[in-house]
Amino acid sequence: MKTRAITGFFFIVVLIGAVLLGPYTFVSFFSLVATCCVYEFYRMVRTESVQPLLLLGVGIAALGFGLVSFTLLALLPYSVLSASIVAVLLLYIAALFRKTRYPIQDVAYSLFGLIYAAIPFIFFMGLGFVGDSYNAYIPLGFLILLWTNDTGAYLAGRSMGRHKLFERISPNKTWEGFFGGVVMAVVAGFILSHYFGVLPLWSWVCMALIIGVFGTFGDLVESMLKRNVGVKDSGNILPGHGGLLDRFDGLLMAAPLVYLFLKNIL
């Protein structure tokens, strides 16, 4: 428990620092995190019968995030992102040269790794640029709402949890915890609207609801993935917490939806 608490504290400090230190640090740090998540995904699903194109997939993720970062920072035109699409097509060609038993399955897992573990981070990084210039308070607010939802769900589930949410996927999650997390996130949204501003109150509340609901689903989907491949944690890079995917599972589903919501109201 002590190791988990210490790791969690420094992990949060690093994330907050990465957001507040400016756009270059923000996009560089989360590009690195996302690339590591892709690598973690490939390592997690790899078996004798499943052989994703690990090096090529991670390389495409790194290239894609490099192009996305430069595009968000207005250093490259958006048209340059088409290079990422061409790079993805290399997965099909590369599979022709590998002597694996199920090449199409390998390509499918390789593509799914990019869709599942990489693309959501592009939307999260985009949260910092939904306005005319970089604004750290929106991605920071997103993270705070995500952490608040997790904390509220844990506390409510431990104290009042009786009715299982998806027992076959995650035996410890309950409906009471789910609603407790959503309520606590909404309360945090009210507080953020007062101290952060940037967005009107109703927007922060809507963000909290999206994160509370779909952040939980993101957590459940990652649990389903781990059960499918028979692992307890996605990795061991964070002592006491598992892997990066274990820490960002809620972001993977909530970030794209929050981004699309904000782009439609701003």
Side-chain angles (χ1 to χ4, degrees):
M1 182 63 74
K2 183 179 179 181
T3 300
R4 181 181 175 86
I6 293 173
T7 302
F9 172 77
F10 283 105
F11 182 64
I12 290 174
V13 169
V14 169
L15 291 183
I16 292 175
V19 176
L20 294 179
L21 286 176
Y24 290 93
T25 303
F26 174 66
V27 297
S28 298
F29 177 80
F30 281 99
S31 293
L32 177 61
V33 168
T35 302
C36 290
C37 283
V38 173
Y39 173 77
E40 197 173 84
F41 174 86
Y42 290 150
R43 287 291 302 272
M44 180 171 59
V45 303
R46 195 170 188 172
T47 64
E48 288 187 7
S49 60
V50 177
Q51 297 288 321
L53 292 89
L54 190 150
L55 292 179
L56 182 57
V58 171
I60 290 172
L63 170 65
F65 279 107
L67 295 176
V68 167
S69 298
F70 284 123
T71 302
L72 289 174
L73 295 169
L75 300 176
L76 287 176
Y78 277 89
S79 59
V80 176
L81 290 178
S82 58
S84 299
I85 299 175
V86 175
V88 168
L89 298 180
L90 291 177
L91 291 171
Y92 305 140
I93 300 173
L96 295 173
F97 295 92
R98 302 174 83 221
K99 297 179 180 180
T100 56
R101 187 176 180 183
Y102 304 107
I104 296 301
Q105 179 175 277
D106 297 340
V107 171
Y109 269 96
S110 301
L111 289 173
F112 181 61
L114 296 173
I115 295 170
Y116 176 71
I119 291 178
F121 278 97
I122 295 176
F123 286 99
F124 173 72
M125 290 160 58
L127 290 177
F129 301 87
V130 289
D132 295 330
S133 59
Y134 178 67
N135 191 315
Y137 289 113
I138 295 178
L140 180 58
F142 177 96
L143 291 175
I144 291 173
L145 293 174
L146 191 64
W147 298 331
T148 303
N149 176 67
D150 289 344
T151 302
Y154 174 78
L155 295 176
R158 281 289 299 270
S159 60
M160 299 180 292
R162 297 292 184 274
H163 303 87
K164 301 298 182 180
L165 186 57
F166 281 95
E167 188 171 8
R168 66 183 177 86
I169 301 297
S170 185
N172 294 325
K173 283 188 168 48
T174 63
W175 282 103
E176 291 83 358
F178 170 74
F179 287 114
V182 172
V183 169
M184 196 162 177
V186 169
V187 172
F190 275 91
I191 297 172
L192 291 177
S193 71
H194 178 72
Y195 287 100
F196 281 11
V198 185
L199 300 171
L201 171 61
W202 70 271
S203 298
W204 283 111
V205 172
C206 287
M207 277 182 60
L209 290 171
I210 293 171
I211 292 169
V213 174
F214 292 97
T216 301
F217 281 125
D219 189 328
L220 288 167
V221 168
E222 203 239 356
S223 295
M224 180 171 62
L225 172 62
K226 289 189 293 187
R227 281 184 174 273
N228 187 82
V229 298
V231 299
K232 182 179 183 294
D233 296 315
S234 64
N236 55 12
I237 192 172
L238 300 171
H241 288 266
L244 290 172
L245 284 173
D246 294 322
R247 294 300 91 210
F248 288 106
D249 49 10
L251 177 150
L252 299 179
M253 188 171 289
L257 296 175
V258 170
Y259 176 84
L260 293 173
F261 165 70
L262 292 180
K263 286 296 288 185
N264 278 285
I265 67 168
L266 295 180

